[in-house]
Amino acid sequence: MILEIDFNSDEAFYIQVRNQIIMSIATNKLHEGDELPSVRAMADDLGINMHTVNKAYSLLRQEGFLQMDRRSGAVVSIDIDHLEALEEVKEGLKVALACASCKGVSADEIHEMVDEIYGEY
């Protein structure tokens, strides 16, 4: 698994790790049952603190993307409650759409962008 940390980004490292793992699941680079590297191995590969990777893995577990197993470590295990997933997406979109509206992005431009991005999955 290849992740990249942008050390110049304002985004926290654990969020970068989280987002890239979610993107890997969405684009079928990671599948149900795939094992992720250990916290220590991932931290060494990325050149970041292992507590940062642990925080990302814990967040992914809480969000239903990973399951932690003492023997195999972090394993992709997607626990989807459809209604809960819709509510999470809606909450995330509210902020993104508010920002877009403030910056003059039209609804048509948003729809086109959503269709383009969703088509990648």
Side-chain angles (χ1 to χ4, degrees):
M1 160 171 234
I2 299 174
L3 300 181
E4 292 183 12
I5 295 296
D6 180 357
F7 291 96
N8 296 318
S9 174
D10 291 335
E11 190 169 53
F13 296 157
Y14 80 96
I15 295 294
Q16 290 184 46
V17 171
R18 172 200 171 266
N19 291 347
Q20 289 182 51
I21 291 172
I22 290 172
M23 293 292 291
S24 294
I25 294 168
T27 57
N28 288 317
K29 293 176 185 165
L30 284 173
H31 303 92
E32 182 88 20
D34 286 353
E35 295 178 14
L36 296 181
S38 70
V39 168
R40 186 180 307 274
M42 176 77 79
D44 288 345
D45 288 347
L46 296 174
I48 60 177
N49 189 294
M50 61 186 243
H51 295 292
T52 302
V53 175
N54 192 46
K55 189 171 183 176
Y57 280 12
S58 294
L59 185 57
L60 287 162
R61 184 189 56 75
Q62 290 170 2
E63 295 174 333
F65 292 102
L66 295 182
Q67 199 171 43
M68 303 307 280
D69 184 301
R70 288 181 188 255
R71 287 168 282 169
S72 51
V75 178
V76 175
S77 176
I78 304 166
D79 178 21
I80 298 177
D81 175 351
H82 189 71
L83 292 176
E84 185 177 318
L86 281 174
E87 192 57 36
E88 287 176 15
V89 170
K90 183 177 181 179
E91 289 304 311
L93 281 173
K94 282 181 179 181
V95 174
L97 292 175
C99 289
S101 176
C102 289
K103 294 181 179 185
V105 179
S106 73
D108 288 338
E109 290 171 313
I110 293 293
H111 287 224
E112 185 177 314
M113 200 180 319
V114 167
D115 290 342
E116 177 186 327
I117 293 169
Y118 201 80
E120 295 174 10
Y121 308 114

